[in-house]
Amino acid sequence: MLQCFYPKEYLDSTYEIDFEEKYRQGYRSVIFDIDNTLVPHGLPADDRAIGLFRRLKDIGYKVTMLSNNKEPRVKMFCDAVDAPYIYKAGKPNPAKYREAMKNMGTDEKSTLFVGDQIFTDVWGANKAGIYSILVKPIHPKEEIQIVLKRYPEKLVLAGYRRYVKKKKRL
C-alpha cells in the first residue's frame, strides 16, 4: 500500500551517489530538488554543489532543478550552478517532472530524480515513472510545513526498510 512512496534507493547524501555508474547504466539526466538535498534550506550554492554540477556535465548529464519554491530562491541557486530550473513545480504532481524531461530531451528510463522528501519529491518522481533516490536532509532546520511531514515520513521509511530487508532475503 505504501510502496508508491518508496524510493528506489535511500542514501545518506546526494554527494555519495555514484553518478558515473548510473551513467554506465544508461541514465542521461538528473532532476534535483534543491533545499536540503543539495544545500541547507534557503542557502546559496556552495563549492560542493558547484563542483557536483561541473562533474555531472563532464560525465555528460543534462540536469534540471525542480522546486516548489518561488523563483528568486531557485534562480539564485541555479545561476550559480548554471542549470535550468522549474519553480513552483507543484510536486508531487508529475506534470513538471515530465516537463523537465521534455526540456532535457530525455525520458523516464534515462532520468534520475534526487530529493529529500517522500511526499513531494519521491512520490512525484514515482508517479512520473522516474528512478527516485531519496537522500537524508542536509540540515535539521526546515520550514514548519516540512517538519510536520517528517513524522509520517518516518513511518513510511520504517515500512520501506522492512520491504528492502524482505526483498534481500528473497
Side-chain angles (χ1 to χ4, degrees):
M1 180 175 135
L2 294 176
Q3 290 180 7
C4 65
F5 299 115
Y6 293 172
K8 299 296 183 263
E9 289 184 54
Y10 179 38
L11 302 170
D12 286 337
S13 170
T14 300
Y15 299 98
E16 72 176 40
I17 298 170
D18 187 344
F19 287 106
E20 289 81 3
E21 177 58 27
K22 295 290 185 202
Y23 195 85
R24 284 190 289 277
Q25 292 171 0
Y27 294 99
R28 296 297 181 260
S29 66
V30 187
I31 303 171
F32 286 98
D33 174 55
I34 299 171
D35 287 318
N36 255 346
T37 298
L38 293 162
V39 293
H41 187 82
L43 292 184
D46 56 18
D47 290 340
R48 185 166 71 158
I50 293 167
L52 172 65
F53 282 86
R54 274 195 211 114
R55 184 174 133 225
L56 291 170
K57 288 174 187 172
D58 288 346
I59 294 168
Y61 280 105
K62 294 180 181 179
V63 297
T64 296
M65 303 301 130
L66 189 66
S67 176
N68 284 348
N69 221 317
K70 295 177 184 165
E71 188 173 23
R73 191 285 175 270
V74 178
K75 183 178 183 341
M76 170 185 65
F77 182 90
C78 293
D79 284 352
V81 299
D82 190 28
Y85 60 88
I86 297 172
Y87 66 97
K88 286 188 170 181
K91 296 180 286 184
N93 183 331
K96 297 297 182 177
Y97 293 77
R98 292 184 184 115
E99 180 182 324
M101 288 186 287
K102 182 180 176 193
N103 292 346
M104 292 185 290
T106 58
D107 62 15
E108 298 86 354
K109 291 182 177 80
S110 61
T111 302
L112 300 168
F113 182 87
V114 182
D116 71 299
Q117 292 185 58
I118 289 174
F119 299 122
T120 53
D121 299 328
V122 170
W123 191 23
N126 289 349
K127 289 197 298 186
I130 301 169
Y131 189 95
S132 57
I133 301 174
L134 177 68
V135 295
K136 292 180 182 173
I138 290 176
H139 194 275
K141 182 179 178 268
E142 297 180 298
E143 295 176 339
I144 188 64
Q145 71 269 18
I146 296 169
V147 171
L148 295 174
K149 286 191 271 185
R150 294 294 185 196
Y151 295 104
E153 277 189 358
K154 288 179 184 178
L155 297 173
V156 173
L157 283 172
Y160 168 76
R161 286 184 183 101
R162 285 191 302 272
Y163 173 79
V164 169
K165 201 176 205 179
K166 185 178 179 181
K167 274 182 67 173
K168 286 182 181 178
R169 284 193 306 238
L170 299 176

